[in-house]
Amino acid sequence: NVRQIQERGVTFLPLDLADDELADALAGIEVIFHLAAQPAPASAYGVTKLAAEQRVLSYARDEGVPACSLRLFSVIGPRERPEKLYTRLIGCILEDREFPLHDGSQSHLRSYTYVGDVVDGLVAAMVNLDRCAGEIFNIGYDLATTTAEGIRTVEQLLGKSARIVIKPRRPGDQARTHAKIGKARRILDYNPAVPLEAGLARQIEWYERHMLGKINLW
């Protein structure tokens, strides 16, 4: 992923946000998208996200920092992390491996959102920063789908069933998330346009082109 993005002219700086001096890296920078996070903490995930939102809003309110918080909903598509649902599912089906699924997650409801639509939301916030400072916006596809439906969609696109192995229930998982994006539509003119099936088709094409038979993830 890094190599492909560098080829588009993007510069990567391997810095640690907790320890490294950032002044030189930020010199001349007008807008920062802070997307760093610890992936998939089991139980405190929502609490930590809420705390981070409030920290951002306090800076905006008390110190005049032109900042806002964007809530990204279940991002899918090319370059999704290898341990996430759809990258792993696609890989398991294509490579004829068992697909581990936590008990109960089949009925989880998610607003799966194509990565390109998420980028559109980030850009919309950047170009409307004067209108969204101190605000919170949901950035997601406003149709919720169960995990079971998502799995069936991948199976249909590939013409092959997954070899699902049920694992113990995972603590801390949310049963339902559904993006309500009226505020983002109204203020940012945000309009996600890629439905789940189309996004998964693009993710499958990416996996087959860049991952299948080239990188051993498991």
Side-chain angles (χ1 to χ4, degrees):
N1 288 344
V2 170
R3 185 183 69 252
Q4 291 175 355
I5 296 174
Q6 284 176 323
E7 291 171 353
R8 297 292 188 94
V10 177
T11 299
F12 279 81
L13 303 176
L15 300 174
D16 188 320
L17 295 180
D19 298 321
D20 289 336
E21 174 57 50
L22 304 178
D24 289 343
L26 299 179
I29 299 300
E30 296 182 4
V31 176
I32 298 171
F33 293 103
H34 184 3
L35 302 178
Q38 177 185 352
S43 58
Y45 187 48
V47 174
T48 59
K49 291 184 75 171
L50 182 61
E53 283 184 353
Q54 294 305 311
R55 186 72 180 271
V56 169
L57 295 183
S58 71
Y59 276 109
R61 179 182 62 250
D62 300 334
E63 301 186 30
V65 177
C68 67
S69 289
L70 305 178
R71 296 172 176 170
L72 312 185
F73 281 74
S74 300
V75 185
I76 66 162
R79 300 183 180 88
E80 185 181 56
R81 296 199 314 268
E83 84 279 9
K84 295 290 290 296
L85 171 66
Y86 289 114
T87 300
R88 192 157 196 177
L89 173 63
I90 292 165
C92 286
I93 295 176
L94 288 174
E95 299 168 26
D96 196 28
R97 289 183 284 102
E98 292 182 341
F99 174 65
L101 188 65
H102 293 286
D103 186 31
S105 61
Q106 302 95 318
S107 61
H108 288 170
L109 202 64
R110 298 285 184 265
S111 286
Y112 293 114
T113 308
Y114 184 65
V115 62
D117 284 334
V118 170
V119 172
D120 286 345
L122 298 178
V123 173
M126 180 177 66
V127 300
N128 291 283
L129 198 56
D130 58 331
R131 303 183 65 195
C132 63
E135 301 286 351
I136 298 173
F137 296 94
N138 293 337
I139 301 297
Y141 196 72
D142 56 347
L143 177 66
T145 307
T146 65
T147 298
E149 291 175 292
I151 292 173
R152 283 195 297 271
T153 299
V154 172
E155 291 175 328
Q156 291 167 358
L157 288 167
L158 291 174
K160 184 179 180 182
S161 297
R163 294 165 54 198
I164 297 175
V165 177
I166 300 298
K167 300 293 183 180
R169 186 180 295 267
R170 183 168 58 179
D173 274 349
Q174 293 178 300
R176 176 188 176 93
T177 63
H178 191 170
K180 302 297 185 181
I181 61 173
K183 182 178 178 181
R185 286 188 188 277
R186 184 177 68 255
I187 297 177
L188 305 180
D189 196 26
Y190 175 62
N191 187 35
V194 182
L196 178 62
E197 183 174 357
L200 290 175
R202 297 178 191 181
Q203 186 164 350
I204 290 170
E205 190 275 335
W206 166 81
Y207 192 98
E208 291 177 325
R209 175 179 296 184
H210 299 288
M211 305 292 288
L212 185 61
K214 299 179 181 178
I215 298 178
N216 183 15
L217 296 175
W218 299 280

